[in-house]
Structure formats: structure tokens, C-alpha cells
């Protein structure tokens, strides 16, 4: 977008969760139209963002677009420089590697910094694995918490699971977390070994992919029989204690 005397807008542009099967039709029309109007993007990964913009058939050659990776920081100091063009009137888009930017994602700091600078932040509709998993789980959608990653070390992970299960039972609250895909099986084993048999466990894997897997059942009913379906694939774990 061209610059003007008024500040631009920071658009949060969602991406498909499964790029392998994604097509142009998978992206809402207003997201595609917005992306076409922009030529400045703050992104989690430049390579992934270029693939997304190519799939969206951006009218400009990719080499003419300014695509900048979000800096690894906590205070937004570097981001202020990247957002200065937006404050000066040039709108920009934030693109994550997958899903909704800003939700369990480094795009959150871009939005927070934009607010601090007086820049309007505009979220656009797209897929969130957290909400899709919750929707499909059948667990409590009135009260829920997403914890990101649990500890990797066995004893610390067991302690964290015990505390999440206790909190879930006390508040009737769905507890959600993820794991690095290659450690999914260790996480499943830890849940089956640590949690009570009547605690409900939902495993939501490869959401929106043609071969997605979503299953909810008591911990006592889970076995390793279907473990291959979650091995090394993006997975969300959800617990609800009775």
C-alpha cells in the first residue's frame, strides 16, 4: 500500500495449517485481497511466507515485495524500527508459518508493539489449531487454557501433567498443550502413565490435512495402537479431568 499522512494498518494474515494440501481456495477471499494490496510483510519465516504469497497469487513478483523476518526479541525494540514505515502510512501484513499470527506465535509481539506505537491492528479470519482442536474435542469450551510446551525432562513433565490434571479437575477446565512432533510418542506415554484413567484425553493431529486424526476418550481406553498416526506430525493434546 502507498504511504500517506495517516498511519497504516498492521494486518494479521492467517496461513493454512497444512501447506502440503493447501490451495488458493483454502484462504478466505478477504485475506487474499488484503495480501494482494500489501507489499510489506513481517514474517516468521521468509521461505514459508514466499510460498504462502505465491499460493495466494500475489500480483507483484516476489522479488519486488519487502519480506522481513520477525526478530527474536522480547521487548519490541527492534520491531519499532520495522513498524516505523507502518506508522508513516505504509500498511503491512504479519504472516506465520502456519495458522493465525499472534496465537502461540511470535506475531503477538508485533501486534503489541504496534498498539504501543498507535498503529491499528486488524486480524483476519483463518485457521487456529488451538480452536479447531478444542472444537473437535468435545471438551469444555467455556473454560480452557493453552500452555504451549511442557517440560522435556521426564520428572518435570510428569509433575507438570499432575498439576494440569489437578487444575482441570478443580476448575473443570480444558488443559491444552503441544509437543515437538518427534517427541509426540513420549508425551502420549507420559500422559497414559501419569493421568487418572477417567481423565478425558483428546489428541488432534494434522488438523485440516486430508488425513487428520482427532480422537477423544478416557485415558484408560487409550493404547499405543494408533500411535503411528501422531508420530512426527503436528499434534495438540487436550485434557479434561473428571
Amino acid at each position: 500500500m502507498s504511504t500517506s499522512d495517516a498511519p497504516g494498518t498492521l494486518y494479521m494474515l492467517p496461513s493454512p495449517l497444512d501447506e502440503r494440501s493447501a490451495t488458493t481456495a483454502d484462504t478466505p477471499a478477504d485475506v487474499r485481497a488484503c495480501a494482494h494490496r500489501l507489499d510489506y510483510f513481517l514474517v516468521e519465516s521468509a521461505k514459508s511466507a514466499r510460498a504462502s504469497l505465491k499460493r495466494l497469487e500475489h500480483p507483484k513478483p516476489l522479488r519486488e515485495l519487502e519480506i522481513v523476518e520477525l526478530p527474536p526479541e522480547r521487548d519490541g525494540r527492534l520491531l519499532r524500527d520495522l513498524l516505523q514505515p507502518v506508522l508513516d502510512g505504509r500498511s503491512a501484513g504479519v504472516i506465520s508459518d502456519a495458522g493465525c499470527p499472534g496465537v502461540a506465535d511470535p506475531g503477538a509481539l508485533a501486534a503489541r508493539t504496534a498498539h504501543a506505537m498507535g498503529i491499528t491492528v486488524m486480524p483476519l479470519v483463518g485457521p487456529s489449531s488451538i480452536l479447531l482442536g478444542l472444537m473437535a474435542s468435545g471438551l469444555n469450551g467455556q473454560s480452557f487454557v493453552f500452555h504451549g510446551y511442557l517440560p522435556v525432562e521426564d520428572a518435570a513433565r510428569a509433575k507438570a501433567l499432575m498439576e494440569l490434571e489437578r487444575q482441570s479437575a478443580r476448575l473443570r477446565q480444558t488443559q491444552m498443550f503441544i509437543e515437538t512432533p518427534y517427541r509426540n510418542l513420549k508425551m502420549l506415554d507420559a500422559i497414559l502413565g501419569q493421568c487418572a484413567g477417567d481423565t478425558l484425553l483428546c489428541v488432534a493431529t494434522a488438523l485440516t490435512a486430508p488425513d487428520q486424526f482427532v480422537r477423544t476418550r478416557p485415558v484408560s481406553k487409550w493404547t499405543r495402537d494408533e500411535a503411528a498416526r501422531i508420530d512426527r506430525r503436528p499434534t495438540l493434546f487436550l485434557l479434561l479431568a473428571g
Side-chain angles (χ1 to χ4, degrees):
M1 290 182 175
S2 60
T3 59
S4 67
D5 292 335
T9 298
L10 187 68
Y11 293 95
M12 310 298 277
L13 302 175
S15 301
L17 295 176
D18 185 67
E19 283 286 353
R20 298 169 304 167
S21 61
T23 67
T24 302
D26 294 327
T27 301
D30 60 338
V31 175
R32 185 169 181 265
C34 180
H36 283 195
R37 296 195 301 269
L38 300 172
D39 60 11
Y40 183 36
F41 299 91
L42 304 178
V43 305
E44 183 176 3
S45 162
K47 180 179 180 181
S48 176
R50 290 189 187 98
S52 292
L53 292 168
K54 181 177 181 180
R55 177 181 48 78
L56 291 175
E57 300 175 340
H58 197 287
K60 286 190 175 183
L62 294 181
R63 64 179 178 276
E64 295 182 11
L65 303 177
E66 189 171 359
I67 300 173
V68 182
E69 291 191 349
L70 292 164
E73 59 171 345
R74 294 186 177 182
D75 58 8
R77 179 174 49 85
L78 300 175
L79 268 167
R80 294 185 74 89
D81 289 338
L82 297 179
L83 288 169
Q84 187 60 46
V86 185
L87 189 63
D88 293 339
R90 183 187 187 188
S91 290
V94 176
I95 302 177
S96 299
D97 286 352
C100 295
V103 180
D105 174 87
L109 184 57
R112 187 191 317 163
T113 306
H115 284 298
M117 296 173 67
I119 295 168
T120 297
V121 177
M122 181 67 69
L124 299 180
V125 173
S128 164
S129 61
I130 298 170
L131 290 180
L132 290 174
L134 183 62
M135 289 165 61
S137 72
L139 303 186
N140 190 358
Q142 297 287 346
S143 180
F144 53 91
V145 180
F146 176 70
H147 297 275
Y149 293 92
L150 300 190
V152 174
E153 196 273 326
D154 290 348
R157 181 174 53 229
K159 182 178 178 180
L161 285 169
M162 183 171 60
E163 178 56 34
L164 294 186
E165 189 176 33
R166 184 183 298 119
Q167 181 175 328
S168 179
R170 181 169 61 88
L171 300 175
R172 291 299 299 162
Q173 187 176 68
T174 301
Q175 307 292 319
M176 299 184 287
F177 47 92
I178 55 176
E179 181 53 279
T180 302
Y182 73 86
R183 287 200 292 261
N184 281 344
L185 299 187
K186 287 199 70 172
M187 177 59 77
L188 180 61
D189 283 343
I191 295 170
L192 300 188
Q194 180 63 45
C195 294
D198 61 350
T199 290
L200 292 174
L201 166 64
C202 176
V203 176
T205 297
L207 290 165
T208 74
D211 57 346
Q212 74 172 16
F213 172 73
V214 182
R215 185 68 50 80
T216 297
R217 55 166 70 114
V219 165
S220 62
K221 300 296 185 182
W222 277 93
T223 68
R224 287 290 300 268
D225 293 346
E226 294 170 314
R229 302 186 68 172
I230 74 170
D231 189 22
R232 300 176 184 274
R233 307 183 73 200
T235 296
L236 179 72
F237 298 90
L238 305 93
L239 291 175
L240 182 63

